[in-house]
Amino acid sequence: MDLTDCIRAGKATREFADRAIADETIETLIDNARRAGSGHNRQPWTFVVVRDPDRRAALAEFGEYTTPLRRAPVGIVIVIDESDSEIHRRHHVFDAGRAAQNLMLTATAVGLGTVPQAFQDRTGAGELLNVPADKEILIGLAAGYPAEAPDETIEGVDKEEELDSMGRRPVSDVLHWEAY
């Protein structure tokens, strides 16, 4: 699949087939994620893969809209270094986003679906996963093979009601030449 097709094929997957993901596939996701660029090559990320259903369910309790994390065969949590200066920590968030995008594009290319999962209580989630004090959970991803007939709701609400838009804003709405 070429890159443009991969980008256009990617979408939030909230319903997953009951099918395990091979270790080698997960390692490929992480390998491609870690290849993202980062400021000063700090590579501020680490990844925690959570397969155990009870642990995923417990982790989901620290966020909202986390039903996909309960349903997916795998949760991947991105942890960033918090021991650096404030300006570098802000860059770490951007850099970890680059890593997450690599991971999500790789997932799409190998037939997996993903959806980001936010944790409002990052401290509690960190304690559950034994994250060291100088690290912080940034975000999680639910990952798995997409269900054949996905649910058309998000947390029980029709997608059209829950989402601000069912499509992408046109290029003409987001592109400015030379100045805003």
Side-chain angles (χ1 to χ4, degrees):
M1 174 180 306
D2 92 341
L3 181 58
T4 298
D5 290 340
C6 189
I7 290 169
R8 291 179 178 177
K11 60 182 178 179
T13 301
R14 294 179 179 88
E15 295 285 331
F16 301 94
D18 185 18
R19 181 176 167 196
I21 302 173
D23 289 352
E24 297 79 23
T25 301
I26 293 171
E27 289 171 3
T28 297
L29 297 178
I30 302 306
D31 183 34
N32 286 352
R34 74 179 180 86
R35 292 174 184 275
S38 62
H40 299 274
N41 199 29
R42 280 190 162 84
Q43 303 175 57
W45 48 68
T46 53
F47 305 88
V48 179
V49 175
V50 182
R51 285 186 160 158
D52 179 72
D54 293 333
R55 185 173 296 266
R56 281 196 328 276
L59 183 61
E61 292 297 318
F62 296 106
E64 298 172 2
Y65 295 94
T66 53
T67 298
L69 188 58
R70 291 177 175 90
R71 295 177 177 168
V74 170
I76 301 172
V77 178
I78 301 175
V79 178
I80 59 172
D81 185 1
E82 282 291 298
S83 65
D84 224 330
S85 68
E86 177 62 28
I87 188 71
H88 286 129
R89 284 195 302 270
R90 282 191 230 149
H91 291 148
H92 294 345
V93 172
F94 176 78
D95 293 340
R98 295 167 71 186
Q101 188 70 22
N102 278 9
L103 191 154
M104 294 168 75
L105 287 170
T106 302
T108 299
V110 300
L112 296 172
T114 59
V115 65
Q117 301 287 270
F119 304 107
Q120 284 70 32
D121 180 2
R122 294 183 198 183
T123 302
E127 289 171 1
L128 175 72
L129 299 180
N130 299 319
V131 172
D134 65 337
K135 310 285 184 204
E136 180 184 22
I137 287 179
L138 181 63
I139 197 152
L141 298 165
Y145 292 96
E148 292 292 323
D151 189 359
E152 291 301 316
T153 66
I154 298 173
E155 302 292 329
V157 178
D158 187 70
K159 283 182 182 178
E160 289 191 29
E161 292 177 36
E162 184 63 27
L163 300 176
D164 289 337
S165 168
M166 289 297 288
R168 294 282 151 228
R169 292 168 50 199
V171 171
S172 60
D173 282 2
V174 299
L175 174 62
H176 303 274
W177 297 95
E178 305 300 337
Y180 199 95

